[in-house]
Amino acid sequence: MNQWRAGLILAAAGVFLCGIAGCGRPAGDAASGADPIKIGEFASLTGEEATFGVSSHEGTLMAVEEINAAGGVLGRKLQLLTEDDQCKPSEAATVVNKLIARDNVVAVLGEVASTRTMAVTRICQDSKIPLVSPSSTNPDVTKTGDYIFRVCFIDPFQGTVMANFASMTLKIKRVAVLTDVKSDYSKGLAKFFKERFKALGGEIVTELDYNGSDKDFKAQLTTIKAANPEGVFVPGYYTACALICLQARQLGLSVPLFGGDGWESSKLTEIGGAAVEGNYFSTHYSSEAGSELSRRFVEHYQKRWNGQTPDALAACGYDSALVLADAIKRAGSTDGGKIRDALAATKNFPAVSGTITIDANRDASKAAVILQVKGGKFKYLGTVEP
Ligand code: PHE
């Protein structure tokens, strides 16, 4: 049995125990002080980007468990209802519809990938159920309406960070870009990177694309090699990016490859091996840097999840649940509109991935970290403030 299933069963068992102890009331009775507050979560627990969903879920569930151990919110426990969207936008819509219509959740947490979050923003907005994405960075995600929030930075910032890094730290002037046209995240990040890189005097020597689950990138990489770049920007997700690194090296393309948060997965090095060594990416969090809060988070996480070190997905998932719980507390209510207002008023909230203030666009302005693949691990190089 994998961990997220175990978590779900534990959560279900908690509700059951509460029921036989006589503290439960019929579900949906919002007036009851003893009913758990239902929070929906949708995540890619299986499929091409499963490590995103699994990590994010582990962080989210741990936050809910800690909140409950400390007495819950408004005198009630939180109950996390988690659904797997299998990395499919259509499935994301199906499970979020179910969480809202059948399970009566008061808010929804998720997703990591921007395209899948964007598949449900309209549903949440129209149902007046607040949505908090832990780590979707495409700027359009929160534009659907005033019920849609995120606790992470957005890609105009991340693109700028990596363009500055290429230009000023790597000191390269000629870059090729390889974009996943199936991903809103990849297309957006490519665009913001190019704008900034060109503004810094850099040249985009060639631009090519691929389709999400492609496995063979030799044709694109052959064209890229012929354009003689000094680096290749690959704003995709880890499975494709690891294969791109691998095939680039096989073709004798030896310049640095670099990308954004989508690279972050233990699978990157598992798939890419020596070919990903030395390459770079930006992300939201590093367990090697950060506050006292972050240090405690790493310690708890390792205890809770078999010694694993939390990645940025876990940290952002954890923070999304904390920010939502804090908003429910300040709202003094589980009413969607009141939670919405409280989320919008989030200010200087001390979270693991940084201090969170929700801005007028319902985004969080936060620092990014730059990591380098070294010895099969992700080495922290530095922090870039917004
Ligand atoms: N930011 C990516 C997106 O919007 C998802 C992601 C977040 C991936 C954090 C890895 C780490 O699609």
Side-chain angles (χ1 to χ4, degrees):
M1 176 159 58
N2 65 25
Q3 286 160 332
W4 74 269
R5 268 185 228 282
L8 282 182
I9 288 167
L10 276 179
V15 173
F16 173 71
L17 285 177
C18 188
I20 53 174
C23 57
R25 295 268 188 90
D29 179 6
S32 161
D35 279 348
I37 298 173
K38 292 184 184 176
I39 310 283
E41 182 198 20
F42 70 115
S44 56
L45 298 170
T46 56
E48 196 86 2
E49 290 114 33
T51 70
F52 286 171
V54 170
S55 281
S56 191
H57 171 67
E58 288 178 354
T60 306
L61 179 61
M62 191 175 98
V64 167
E65 290 171 348
E66 287 178 5
I67 291 161
N68 285 343
V73 178
L74 307 180
R76 298 162 67 183
K77 297 271 189 249
L78 298 183
Q79 182 188 2
L80 187 68
L81 304 177
T82 304
E83 294 286 345
D84 178 14
D85 64 28
Q86 305 161 27
C87 287
K88 297 177 190 148
S90 61
E91 189 63 19
T94 302
V95 298
V96 168
N97 265 318
K98 179 200 156 269
L99 285 168
I100 293 174
R102 233 178 45 215
D103 300 327
N104 297 313
V105 299
V106 305
V108 175
L109 299 174
E111 229 249 30
V112 171
S114 293
T115 297
R116 292 191 288 275
T117 304
M118 283 153 83
V120 312
T121 52
R122 183 40 60 200
I123 298 167
C124 294
Q125 179 67 31
D126 289 349
S127 318
K128 298 198 180 341
I129 293 297
L131 170 75
V132 181
S133 167
S135 49
S136 286
T137 47
N138 184 284
D140 290 344
V141 166
T142 48
K143 288 187 182 150
T144 305
D146 60 353
Y147 278 78
I148 316 300
F149 296 84
R150 77 180 109 213
V151 294
C152 58
F153 57 64
I154 58 175
D155 287 330
F157 171 64
Q158 183 166 216
T160 299
V161 165
M162 287 318 275
N164 289 351
F165 177 74
S167 177
M168 298 165 192
T169 306
L170 298 180
K171 299 203 180 336
I172 57 179
K173 284 273 164 268
R174 297 168 49 79
V175 167
V177 178
L178 184 50
T179 306
D180 174 4
V181 291
K182 280 272 155 66
S183 153
D184 294 296
Y185 156 75
S186 188
K187 289 187 286 184
L189 187 52
K191 171 176 173 275
F192 302 120
F193 171 84
K194 286 185 290 183
E195 282 170 7
R196 174 67 182 171
F197 191 66
K198 286 192 267 188
L200 290 167
E203 185 192 347
I204 304 299
V205 294
T206 185
E207 279 175 61
L208 290 134
D209 45 50
Y210 65 94
N211 275 301
S213 54
D214 284 355
K215 298 280 177 282
D216 184 349
F217 306 92
K218 295 238 167 67
Q220 294 95 318
L221 291 166
T222 302
T223 307
I224 287 175
K225 192 180 174 207
N228 195 27
E230 295 169 289
V232 186
F233 184 57
V234 193
Y237 295 141
Y238 61 87
T239 305
C241 293
L243 290 172
I244 288 167
C245 290
L246 210 57
Q247 292 168 22
R249 297 302 184 243
Q250 283 163 3
L251 289 171
L253 182 62
S254 57
V255 297
L257 288 92
F258 52 102
D261 52 356
W263 281 43
E264 181 152 11
S265 170
S266 53
K267 291 267 178 218
L268 184 85
T269 48
E270 232 175 276
I271 300 168
V276 294
E277 282 290 308
N279 291 332
Y280 310 91
F281 62 95
S282 51
T283 189
H284 307 261
Y285 168 82
S286 165
S287 61
E288 289 178 32
S291 55
E292 172 58 24
L293 206 64
S294 157
R295 203 193 50 71
R296 262 183 288 144
F297 166 70
V298 175
E299 217 176 273
H300 289 177
Y301 192 89
Q302 287 178 330
K303 264 194 216 132
R304 176 65 181 85
W305 300 109
N306 301 318
Q308 290 182 74
T309 301
D311 58 12
L313 294 303
C316 290
Y318 182 85
D319 288 347
S320 70
L322 288 192
V323 165
L324 175 62
D326 174 68
I328 297 174
K329 200 181 300 166
R330 282 185 290 104
S333 162
T334 56
D335 171 73
K338 293 198 174 121
I339 297 173
R340 191 220 78 85
D341 290 345
L343 278 169
T346 301
K347 216 176 164 199
N348 294 327
F349 183 83
V352 160
S353 62
T355 302
I356 295 174
T357 294
I358 298 294
D359 68 18
N361 300 320
R362 298 170 300 282
D363 303 325
S365 146
K366 279 159 66 198
V369 297
I370 298 180
L371 308 182
Q372 181 177 30
V373 186
K374 268 265 167 79
K377 297 222 156 49
F378 301 148
K379 185 173 173 280
Y380 169 73
L381 293 188
T383 299
V384 185
E385 295 298 334

